[in-house]
Amino acid sequence: MATILDGKKLRDKILAGLKNGLDKLDKKPQLVVILVGDDPASKIYVNNKKKTAEKLGIISQIINYPSDVTEQELLARIKELNDDDSVTAILVQLPLPEHINKDNVMNAITPAKDVDGFTPANFGKLFSGQQPHVYPCTPKGILLLLDEYNIEIAGKHAVIIGRSNIVGKPLAQMLLNRNATVTICHSRTKNLADITKTADIVVSAVGGKIIEENMLKNDCIVVDVGIFKDETGKTRGDVNFEYASKVASYITPVPGGVGPMTITSLMLNTVELFKEKLSPAARGILEVSGVLDE
Ligand code: GUN
């Protein structure tokens, strides 16, 4: 049976270290989350982000716009937040309604407050081998989890299913930076099982039943980013867990694997951006907590 990659346990450990460091500082970071519309899943994610931030002493607010907000209005608000020194991190929850150009919104966030690492400056730095202000949260969380279990990445064949800007693309680059051989699969990939069967590490980030019997190699590592409710209302991931947990050496559960690590990375990124504004002494206090090194 596979060893469970326990995202909740690692989350609790990292956040305790972060809280410890933040408690010693007078100044606190402020994370502002912009949510457009009333998508129930997005609402839950955003509220979780706020709650987690507040537990750590990070000041947090959600700005909720109706789904018919204009792009202009959003852009004006982002400019205000960019110019407000008390705001240290800005997150625009995705997806946005269709009438809003997501690229214009991302481009408007100042890179030093871009807590997702999604702006062209930060994304471009990631892909050109430069140091971005922060790395995107879900890929970062996945790497933290693999590292916690001392899973070697260099030389492994990593197969990522999903090519989104949120997970697939940045994760591919981050695994490449760690010397993995990376294959990205997507909805037009032919013979997916032939490819996943060659994978040492499989990451599925689709949101559907993707990994079924006979698709995995013995002792591979399985990371399941998908989360949705099946026909019976049960929360599950992209991977047939019953099958995969018998074949793999390590596997993330859903829930309790990647999800908690995404939020952990968001907190780490919030502190990382804040750290850039601190004196060397205050920065030292946060570094003692031992969680800010990439
Ligand atoms: N929607 C789903 N995941 C994410 C994320 O990591 N960041 C943002 N901004 N929106 C998301």
Side-chain angles (χ1 to χ4, degrees):
M1 281 296 278
T3 300
I4 299 290
L5 296 167
D6 189 338
K8 283 192 199 168
K9 194 166 141 196
L10 182 56
R11 171 197 63 194
D12 291 347
K13 181 169 120 181
I14 292 175
L15 294 188
L18 261 190
K19 181 166 178 357
N20 192 31
L22 285 167
D23 281 349
K24 297 188 181 119
L25 294 177
D26 301 331
K27 282 205 297 186
K28 306 289 178 197
Q30 180 176 187
L31 167 67
V32 174
V33 178
I34 297 179
L35 172 65
V36 181
D38 48 17
D39 175 62
S42 288
K43 262 191 184 165
I44 293 170
Y45 294 145
V46 159
N47 284 328
N48 272 338
K49 289 169 185 178
K50 182 166 188 275
K51 258 200 310 206
T52 308
E54 283 172 348
K55 274 193 216 153
L56 303 182
I58 294 170
I59 302 161
S60 176
Q61 60 164 312
I62 299 169
I63 304 175
N64 200 172
Y65 284 102
S67 53
D68 63 354
V69 66
T70 63
E71 187 177 310
Q72 242 178 345
E73 202 173 331
L74 267 188
L75 295 178
R77 189 60 181 264
I78 289 169
K79 185 174 183 323
E80 272 177 36
L81 296 170
N82 285 342
D83 295 340
D84 181 344
D85 274 344
S86 74
V87 174
T88 54
I90 302 168
L91 181 147
V92 178
Q93 185 67 23
L94 300 173
L96 288 167
E98 289 206 345
H99 70 278
I100 291 170
N101 182 322
K102 172 182 76 69
D103 295 337
N104 291 344
V105 172
M106 288 301 135
N107 296 354
I109 302 171
T110 196
K113 297 188 183 188
D114 165 26
V115 73
D116 272 314
F118 289 166
T119 58
N122 284 323
F123 222 58
K125 282 185 173 169
L126 168 62
F127 279 81
S128 62
Q130 299 178 55
Q131 173 98 24
H133 285 279
V134 292
Y135 293 86
C137 298
T138 301
K140 173 170 170 156
I142 291 169
L143 291 188
L144 285 169
L145 196 53
L146 297 179
D147 287 346
E148 175 69 10
Y149 287 80
N150 297 313
I151 292 168
E152 178 75 31
I153 292 170
K156 294 262 171 77
H157 181 206
V159 172
I160 301 167
I161 309 164
R163 54 177 153 177
S164 71
N165 286 337
I166 296 177
V167 185
K169 274 191 256 174
L171 178 62
Q173 187 58 43
M174 287 161 75
L175 287 168
L176 199 55
N177 289 348
R178 299 276 297 267
N179 300 308
T181 302
V182 181
T183 302
I184 305 182
C185 301
H186 47 77
S187 53
R188 302 289 286 271
T189 296
K190 296 197 172 103
N191 305 322
L192 180 65
D194 290 346
I195 300 169
T196 56
K197 267 190 267 186
T198 70
D200 303 307
I201 302 173
V202 177
V203 182
S204 186
V206 175
K209 294 180 185 178
I210 302 298
I211 300 292
E212 293 294 346
E213 284 190 24
N214 301 318
M215 288 182 72
L216 298 174
K217 182 166 89 171
N218 278 343
D219 295 329
C220 68
I221 294 141
V222 177
V223 177
D224 193 345
V225 185
I227 183 161
F228 61 99
K229 284 200 188 334
D230 71 9
E231 324 71 70
T232 68
K234 186 172 170 273
T235 298
R236 60 160 287 167
D238 293 359
V239 176
N240 176 336
F241 186 86
E242 199 182 320
Y243 155 67
S245 59
K246 286 186 194 127
V247 176
S249 55
Y250 293 90
I251 187 166
T252 60
V254 178
V258 175
M261 291 311 301
T262 296
I263 213 155
T264 301
S265 301
L266 176 64
M267 298 303 122
L268 285 169
N269 282 356
T270 301
V271 173
E272 193 73 36
L273 296 179
F274 178 62
K275 211 178 72 163
E276 292 174 9
K277 301 180 54 153
L278 295 177
S279 66
R283 221 179 269 195
I285 289 171
L286 285 173
E287 267 153 19
V288 170
S289 67
V291 291
L292 290 173
D293 305 327
E294 280 304 323

